[in-house]
Amino acid sequence: MQKFKKTVVIGFVGSTLDQGKKLDRWQRWRPTMSLLMHEDLVVDELVLLHDRRNVSLIDHLRQDALEISPQTQITGHKVNIRDPWDFSDMYGALYDFVKSYSFDTENNHYLLHITTGTHVAQICWYLLIDAHYLPAKLIQSAPTGKQQPEGEYRIIDLDLSRYAALTQRFEHEQAENWQQLKANIATKNQNFNQMIQEVELVATRSSAPILIMGATGVGKSHLAKQIYQLKKEKFHLSGRFIDVNCATLVGDSAMSTLFGHSKGAFTGAIAARTGYLKSADNGILFLDEIGELGLDEQAMLLKALEDKSFFPVGSDKEVQADFQLIAGTNRDLREEVRAGRFREDLWARLNTWTFFLPSLKDRVEDIEPNITFELQRFAVAHQRQLRFHTDALEKYLKFAQSADASWQGNFRDLTASVTRMATLANGERIGLHEVNAEIGRLQQIWNIAENKDALTQSSLMKILSAEQVAQIDEFDRIQLQGVIEVCQKSKSMADAGRRLFSVSREQRQTTNDSDRVKKYLAKFALSWDDVNG
């Protein structure tokens, strides 16, 4: 047996329309009293919000209610609203009421009367219901004619899941968001598609930092740009997308490049510089290869994220900058933290939302749709639409999806490969000739890279473990190998420093070359004795 519940209506008293003491008041529509005049609507309690000026009106309405609906209990609730047209003031007052009111959903149905009050009040009511602070449906009343004091009413349920058409629209919009994040590429990889769905939710609901992890060429920068476009179209931000590769931030200029500097901050600072962080204000700052940032820059970045402000180099005037950070890396930042090369507090700040982009070898089912995408992109750029002959596409896909295709550069390799075939093709079709030549070209490129990598790794393996070498980027491996070779040929650390820094040492006031070599080796947890042992 279904339990009987009472009906409780909550709303503002109509400080103008609910007034009246003459007999003709019963001949005109009064919003509060009209709710008690309908045979099909039984109101057990009316909770009327009012300010201090309308206390007597509440008493008068209570007396009128006894004549038409004696079973209805009328309760006044005083609220302090200084300006009914001020959103902050109104929302604060209604929020305080909702939090202090004791809702008994087990025994009562709640209806929120939205006829009376300002438009600002109605918007605030909607927001409170949508946020589930208020367990109520809406009841809207309206007049129908001068001689019909009861008017009419309608109950509105804001549970949008009840409306199939609206639900379908939201689902369609969400699907469009997913496609936008994938650049309209019809990907088939289940894990990747599930990740994109999560990214869409985060992009449209959160402004916390996002960390995108993955090997070089998997599309970290591309995904960051798609997130920016999605948020901009949803009016979540108004600023720019600033794309920075942290591997290019070297030496003393790194700090001023990121945070700006004041005029005269250092030799050569003939004018003030804004810096990338300020340029990203109200937008998105994408720091690719964030693991390359020095510890000093990491500390400044953390402060800027937490305080939304920072001091440019050489300035004592704080600069405000509110941006969302998206960071990319192909390093294991947890290992970098353990090695002392990355700040643990910054890692914790970045780790709210972490997404791992799989390599192309782990998404072989997505190679074909990406080929179609690259051909379309080539057509736009070069005004030349090309397609594969069927046998040529079959042969290329068979190779591309096989174990022989290492795809060391991931999607960058695929983009370059399709671009080469499209450029060299005669006519409007890419044939077996272009495919066979391209397969040979890719094998040669990958074989050269593998041989270089093997040579470098074999030398480094004498000093570092295989696990340590695997954690070092190819760029760093090549550079480290060169430094080690110089160190091993040098008589001392100072001698090695003079060879390694022969150009830059002439431009420095101090020339502590030994210290520079020592600090460089320490980045890889190495010492002079390790290298020359």
Side-chain angles (χ1 to χ4, degrees):
M1 183 176 178
Q2 189 174 4
K3 184 177 181 179
F4 173 78
K5 290 187 177 184
K6 294 181 179 181
T7 298
V8 179
V9 177
I10 301 171
F12 280 100
V13 68
S15 57
T16 299
L17 294 176
D18 276 333
Q19 294 281 1
K21 295 183 179 180
K22 297 180 180 180
L23 287 176
D24 63 356
R25 69 184 185 278
W26 297 108
Q27 304 303 315
R28 60 182 175 83
W29 178 77
R30 290 186 291 168
T32 300
M33 288 295 100
S34 70
L35 295 176
L36 308 180
M37 297 181 177
H38 297 276
E39 294 182 0
D40 59 346
L41 176 65
V42 177
V43 179
D44 296 288
E45 183 180 358
L46 262 176
V47 179
L48 298 178
L49 277 59
H50 64 90
D51 60 18
R52 57 182 177 79
R53 295 170 296 180
N54 291 310
V55 174
S56 60
L57 178 57
I58 299 297
D59 292 335
H60 179 68
L61 293 176
R62 188 179 289 114
Q63 294 300 318
D64 277 357
L66 288 174
E67 297 188 32
I68 55 175
S69 182
Q71 81 280 3
T72 302
Q73 176 185 352
I74 293 186
T75 306
H77 193 102
K78 184 179 176 182
V79 291
N80 296 314
I81 302 173
R82 291 170 297 179
D83 182 359
W85 293 96
D86 182 270
F87 183 88
S88 177
D89 198 21
M90 177 63 72
Y91 188 88
L94 296 186
Y95 178 82
D96 289 341
F97 161 73
V98 169
K99 297 298 288 185
S100 64
Y101 187 83
S102 180
F103 289 97
D104 181 6
T105 54
E106 185 175 345
N107 296 306
N108 298 329
H109 285 300
Y110 291 94
L111 298 174
L112 183 66
H113 191 203
I114 61 171
T115 295
T116 56
T118 65
H119 297 313
V120 174
Q122 294 178 14
I123 292 171
C124 291
W125 282 130
Y126 294 150
L127 292 175
L128 289 166
I129 290 178
D130 187 58
H132 304 291
Y133 286 119
L134 197 60
K137 297 179 181 179
L138 299 177
I139 181 169
Q140 183 174 23
S141 63
T144 55
K146 291 184 178 180
Q147 302 302 317
Q148 293 179 309
E150 72 278 9
E152 61 182 0
Y153 76 91
R154 177 175 298 179
I155 294 177
I156 304 168
D157 189 349
L158 284 186
D159 182 3
L160 298 183
S161 63
R162 295 167 58 89
Y163 302 96
L166 285 175
T167 301
Q168 289 174 3
R169 285 185 61 182
F170 290 146
E171 290 176 349
H172 178 69
E173 181 179 350
Q174 192 173 52
E176 287 183 341
N177 292 345
W178 297 342
Q179 286 303 110
Q180 180 174 338
L181 288 173
K182 297 190 295 181
N184 290 315
I185 301 174
T187 56
K188 302 174 183 177
N189 184 273
Q190 183 177 355
N191 292 334
F192 179 75
N193 287 334
Q194 182 177 349
M195 184 207 70
I196 287 296
Q197 293 179 20
E198 294 178 359
V199 171
E200 188 268 342
L201 293 176
V202 172
T204 54
R205 297 180 182 180
S206 173
S207 59
I210 296 174
L211 179 62
I212 304 175
M213 303 182 72
T216 299
V218 295
K220 298 185 290 290
S221 177
H222 182 73
L223 179 58
K225 290 175 183 175
Q226 295 303 115
I227 291 173
Y228 169 76
Q229 290 297 333
L230 178 61
K231 293 178 76 78
K232 190 172 183 180
E233 290 180 8
K234 303 298 179 187
F235 303 103
H236 291 177
L237 47 81
S238 58
R240 298 164 56 193
F241 178 83
I242 303 297
D243 188 345
V244 183
N245 189 326
C246 295
T248 65
L249 304 177
V250 294
D252 298 334
S253 64
M255 195 73 81
S256 66
T257 301
L258 284 173
F259 304 99
H261 61 249
S262 61
K263 181 179 179 180
F266 50 84
T267 303
I270 58 176
R273 179 174 184 174
T274 301
Y276 286 138
L277 268 70
K278 181 60 179 177
S279 297
D281 192 19
N282 295 315
I284 283 179
L285 175 66
F286 175 57
L287 294 182
D288 199 7
E289 306 305 343
I290 194 171
E292 301 289 340
L293 274 186
L295 291 173
D296 291 341
E297 288 81 10
Q298 292 176 30
M300 285 274 286
L301 177 62
L302 179 63
K303 179 188 182 303
L305 287 173
E306 292 180 341
D307 300 343
K308 302 187 186 303
S309 63
F310 56 89
F311 290 96
V313 176
S315 174
D316 57 1
K317 185 178 180 180
E318 204 165 24
V319 171
Q320 305 293 319
D322 187 3
F323 56 86
Q324 181 174 12
L325 176 66
I326 302 180
T329 184
N330 58 8
R331 294 187 178 187
D332 184 346
L333 292 185
R334 292 164 296 187
E335 182 61 35
E336 295 296 295
V337 170
R338 285 191 287 268
R341 293 188 292 266
F342 201 83
R343 293 180 62 99
E344 186 173 7
D345 48 7
L346 180 57
W347 158 245
R349 194 77 168 82
L350 294 176
N351 201 30
T352 303
W353 300 112
T354 301
F355 298 100
F356 296 86
L357 286 184
S359 300
L360 185 56
K361 281 182 66 67
D362 299 323
R363 293 174 53 192
V364 291
E365 64 269 51
D366 288 341
I367 290 177
E368 185 172 4
N370 273 278
I371 290 173
T372 302
F373 172 76
E374 293 299 340
L375 287 177
Q376 291 171 346
R377 189 155 67 168
F378 182 88
V380 172
H382 300 279
Q383 301 298 305
R384 187 173 171 223
Q385 183 70 59
L386 289 103
R387 290 184 294 171
F388 279 84
H389 282 292
T390 302
D391 55 351
L393 179 60
E394 288 177 354
K395 183 165 187 178
Y396 186 78
L397 284 174
K398 183 178 180 180
F399 167 75
Q401 296 173 345
S402 71
D404 295 331
S406 60
W407 296 117
Q408 296 167 4
N410 287 290
F411 288 93
R412 290 178 186 171
D413 277 1
L414 182 61
T415 298
S417 178
V418 174
T419 300
R420 285 192 293 264
M421 288 186 289
T423 301
L424 297 174
N426 293 315
E428 298 177 353
R429 298 269 183 168
I430 298 172
L432 282 172
H433 175 73
E434 288 79 26
V435 166
N436 288 330
E438 181 58 26
I439 290 174
R441 190 180 293 110
L442 286 171
Q443 290 172 328
Q444 185 178 19
I445 291 171
W446 293 333
N447 185 51
I448 292 172
E450 287 171 356
N451 288 339
K452 282 185 177 180
D453 193 52
L455 179 63
T456 301
Q457 288 201 34
S458 64
S459 301
L460 292 178
M461 288 293 188
K462 297 176 182 178
I463 300 172
L464 300 171
S465 67
E467 183 180 353
Q468 288 174 310
V469 172
Q471 295 296 323
I472 302 176
D473 289 334
E474 182 179 357
F475 175 87
D476 288 329
R477 284 202 301 269
I478 296 170
Q479 187 180 61
L480 178 59
Q481 176 65 28
V483 170
I484 290 174
E485 290 176 0
V486 171
C487 289
Q488 291 173 339
K489 295 176 182 177
S490 301
K491 298 177 182 179
S492 64
M493 196 183 305
D495 182 33
R498 283 191 291 273
R499 295 188 187 194
L500 291 167
F501 307 115
S502 60
V503 176
S504 62
R505 74 192 305 269
E506 300 296 330
Q507 304 169 4
R508 298 171 66 93
Q509 295 180 352
T510 59
T511 55
N512 190 346
D513 300 321
S514 298
D515 187 59
R516 296 176 73 183
V517 174
K518 182 179 180 181
K519 287 181 177 178
Y520 176 81
L521 293 176
K523 284 178 58 179
F524 304 96
L526 293 173
S527 67
W528 176 260
D529 291 337
D530 293 330
V531 173
N532 288 277

